[in-house]
Amino acid sequence: MSGTGNMMHRPTDNRSASTNRMGAASRTSTVASSFVVADAGQCIGCKACELACFAVHSQANGIGASVGTVSVPVLPKVYVVRTGEMYVPVQCRHCENAPCAHACPVQAIRQEDGVVMIDEERCIGCTFCVLACPFGAIEVSPVYRAGHVVTQSGLTHRANRVALPRTAASKCDLCAETENGKPACVEACPNHVLRLAKGISDSPPEPRREVFFPRL
Ligand code: SF4
Ligand code: SF4
């Protein structure tokens, strides 16, 4: 993952880390999560999943819903990675007790009903979550609204003083805000490589049992 963020800029809404601070226990949970998995070796690298993901997540911000109408870079939340002759779609596993949520210094990442969500407005683009994620599932990318990049107030290029874009962390949210709630990538894949793995239970784990070993 490229991680194109500007280090440690401040959020535009000026919320500080101390306001509305959540404890680590409320940012993560041990609820069994659902997540999208790929059938290894079956991906043909067509990137239909990336385009479907970008289209779904572009509906609310006015960028445009088809490849022919967009004027900004295609920034999906699933990334097709090539390793040798193989292609592998990579996306968030919605980890129980998510490392990215623990790493975030401004509590921009939280877990809701087993789905790990990023609050883009709160994110300061520091990339700590990118470093913490063991799957490489997060990108820090420029933020676009209505076809234009959002600039970060007070942040300019050193040499030419041009305003720099605001950046924020972005990753799979399981299409949580779509009407049918189904991940667009799963539906778009022509080779049926992707499927939604359902969390099996939200019941508490069985208590640990003492194990006694005989003395030798
Ligand atoms: S972004 Fe990475 S660490 Fe965070 S929940 Fe997803 S897979 Fe886990
Ligand atoms: S979400 Fe990631 S990039 Fe954004 S503030 Fe938290 S750790 Fe930093």
Side-chain angles (χ1 to χ4, degrees), residues 28-47:
T28 64
S29 79
T30 54
V31 172
S33 309
S34 300
F35 55 95
V36 174
V37 285
D39 191 353
Q42 298 304 306
C43 176
I44 55 175
C46 70
K47 302 204 174 193

Side-chain angles (χ1 to χ4, degrees), residues 91-95 98-101 116 129 132-138 171:
Q91 61 211 105
C92 176
R93 304 297 203 279
H94 297 275
C95 307
C100 58
V116 176
C129 57
C133 174
F135 298 104
I138 307 183
K171 68 164 195 66

Side-chain angles (χ1 to χ4, degrees), residues 100 103-109 118 122-130 140 168-169:
C100 58
C104 179
V106 294
Q107 290 77 49
I109 306 179
I118 296 178
R122 182 174 288 273
C123 173
I124 58 172
C126 68
T127 72
F128 286 178
C129 57
V130 177
V140 172

Side-chain angles (χ1 to χ4, degrees), residues 7 11 17 31 41 48 63 70 77 94 108-109 115-116 118 124-125 135 146 153 155-157 170 181 184 195 208-209:
M7 298 296 285
V31 172
I63 286 174
V70 296
K77 296 170 188 287
H94 297 275
I109 306 179
V115 180
V116 176
I118 296 178
I124 58 172
F135 298 104
S153 116
L155 191 66
T156 52
H157 194 279
S170 171
R195 70 183 164 84
R208 286 187 189 186
R209 283 178 295 181

